[in-house]
Amino acid sequence: MKNLFDIKDKVIVITGGCGILGKNIANYLAEQGAKIVILDRVEEAGRELEAELNRKSKALFLVTNVLNKEVLEENKKAILERFGTIDVLLNAAGGNMPGATIAPDKTVLDLDVDAFRKVVDLNLFGTVLPTMVFVDVMAKNKKGAIVNFCSESALRPLTRVVGYGSAKAAIGNYTRYMATELATKFSPELRVNAIVPGFLLTNQNRALLTNPDGSYTDRAKTIIAHTPCGRFAEPEELFGTIHYLISDASSFVTGALSVVDGGFDAFSI
C-alpha cells in the first residue's frame, strides 16, 4: 500500500525557521527525507541550522524579511534555482512585543498602538506576503500544502496579549478564506490549513510564564490548571500534526484549524 505520510524529497519552505518551533520542525522533517528551505533574518543561526540539516537531508538557508515582497521574490528565485520547485510552505514567522501586551497594572487605554500595528504586521502580513509569493509555484504544479501558524489566542481572547491575539484570529480567518480561494481558482489539490498550538515555553513568552528563578508565574499556573493534560506542550508534540497536514494523508483536509493544545480549548468547570 502507498505510504500516505511519505514526504521524502518534498521541498518545504519554513519562514521563521530559526525560532524554537521552526528549528525543531525543520530537523524532524529533514529526518523524514524532505528538502528544507529555512527563511529567517538571523544569518548566523541560519547558517548553523543549514549545516545541521544538511547532515540529514538537503537544506538551504536564505536571509529574508517576511514583510518585504521583493526580498521574498529573490528568495523564491534562489529556491527554484536550487530545488526546482516548492511543495510546502510553513508560515512559522511571528511573535509578540511588550508594547502590544497589557501589563497587569495597565488597561487597554495604555496600549501602544504602534507596537500593536507591528505585531499585526509581523504575524498577519508576515503570513500573507510569503503566501502570495510562493503559492504561484504550487498553483503551476496544481498541488501543494500551506500550513499557517495560529494560536490558542485566536480561538478565545486571552488576557494581556491583545495585539497577538487579534493578529492570530485574523490568520484563522485568512486560512479558511485561502482554502476556498486556491481550491476553486487554481486546484482542489492546493490546500491551506493552520495548526493551533497550545502553550509552549518559548523565548517570546518566557517572561510571561516564568519568574527569574525559573518557577511558574501565576499566569502559567492558571494555564496549566485549565489544561486537561496538566502541562505545557513540547515542540515535538506538533510534529505529527504538521506531518499529517503536509502529506497525502490529509488530501481531503483544507480550511481546517488543527488544535494541539492538551485540551485547553475544551476545558470547562
Side-chain angles (χ1 to χ4, degrees):
M1 292 181 64
K2 178 182 177 182
N3 178 3
L4 295 175
F5 293 91
D6 182 18
I7 57 170
K8 189 176 188 307
D9 292 328
K10 283 188 180 290
V11 178
I12 301 175
V13 177
I14 308 176
T15 69
C18 291
I20 289 178
L21 291 184
K23 180 167 59 176
N24 280 278
I25 291 166
N27 269 283
Y28 169 76
L29 296 176
E31 290 169 356
Q32 308 307 308
K35 298 171 183 176
I36 308 298
V37 180
I38 296 296
L39 300 183
D40 205 286
R41 60 185 180 180
V42 186
E43 184 166 7
E44 183 178 355
R47 297 298 176 200
E48 291 176 0
L49 180 56
E50 179 185 48
E52 181 181 350
L53 296 174
N54 269 317
R55 290 192 287 270
K56 302 174 181 180
S57 183
K58 295 179 181 179
L60 173 67
F61 167 73
L62 297 168
V63 175
T64 199
N65 178 351
V66 294
L67 298 179
N68 188 317
K69 193 175 180 183
E70 291 181 0
V71 172
L72 290 164
E73 290 285 359
E74 289 301 313
N75 292 154
K76 181 173 67 175
K77 290 179 184 177
I79 295 167
L80 295 179
E81 286 175 4
R82 173 69 182 276
F83 293 125
T85 193
I86 296 171
D87 299 302
V88 175
L89 171 63
L90 303 183
N91 281 311
N96 201 359
M97 60 178 54
T101 300
I102 299 173
D105 60 339
K106 302 292 184 181
T107 75
V108 70
L109 300 180
D110 301 299
L111 181 67
D112 183 336
V113 175
D114 287 336
F116 190 114
R117 185 177 291 110
K118 288 178 181 178
V119 169
V120 171
D121 281 348
L122 175 59
N123 290 279
L124 179 56
F125 289 98
T127 293
V128 172
L129 288 174
T131 301
M132 290 179 66
V133 169
F134 298 122
V135 77
D136 72 321
V137 180
M138 302 181 200
K140 290 171 184 174
N141 294 337
K142 299 294 183 182
K143 185 173 183 179
I146 298 172
V147 178
N148 297 325
F149 279 61
C150 210
S151 166
E152 198 69 50
S153 59
L155 304 182
R156 58 171 69 184
L158 303 179
T159 60
R160 299 187 61 179
V161 291
V162 58
Y164 186 77
S166 298
K168 291 299 188 181
I171 287 176
N173 184 281
Y174 176 71
T175 297
R176 288 174 164 170
Y177 171 83
M178 287 297 287
T180 299
E181 176 75 6
L182 298 183
T184 57
K185 295 183 180 177
F186 295 98
S187 169
E189 292 188 68
L190 187 47
R191 302 180 295 107
V192 188
N193 293 291
I195 187 168
V196 186
F199 294 87
L200 302 96
L201 274 176
T202 66
N203 294 333
Q204 294 173 359
N205 67 14
R206 197 170 299 277
L208 278 173
L209 301 180
T210 61
N211 296 309
D213 63 0
S215 62
Y216 287 156
T217 61
D218 289 342
R219 184 178 181 83
K221 292 175 183 176
T222 299
I223 289 168
I224 292 174
H226 289 76
T227 301
C229 284
R231 59 178 175 81
F232 290 124
E234 298 294 337
E236 56 266 27
E237 290 177 305
L238 304 183
F239 297 169
T241 300
I242 295 235
H243 193 153
Y244 165 71
L245 289 175
I246 66 175
S247 72
D248 288 343
S250 61
S251 60
F252 200 58
V253 178
T254 195
L257 306 184
S258 295
V259 180
V260 187
D261 70 351
F264 181 90
D265 192 54
F267 182 86
S268 63
I269 187 170

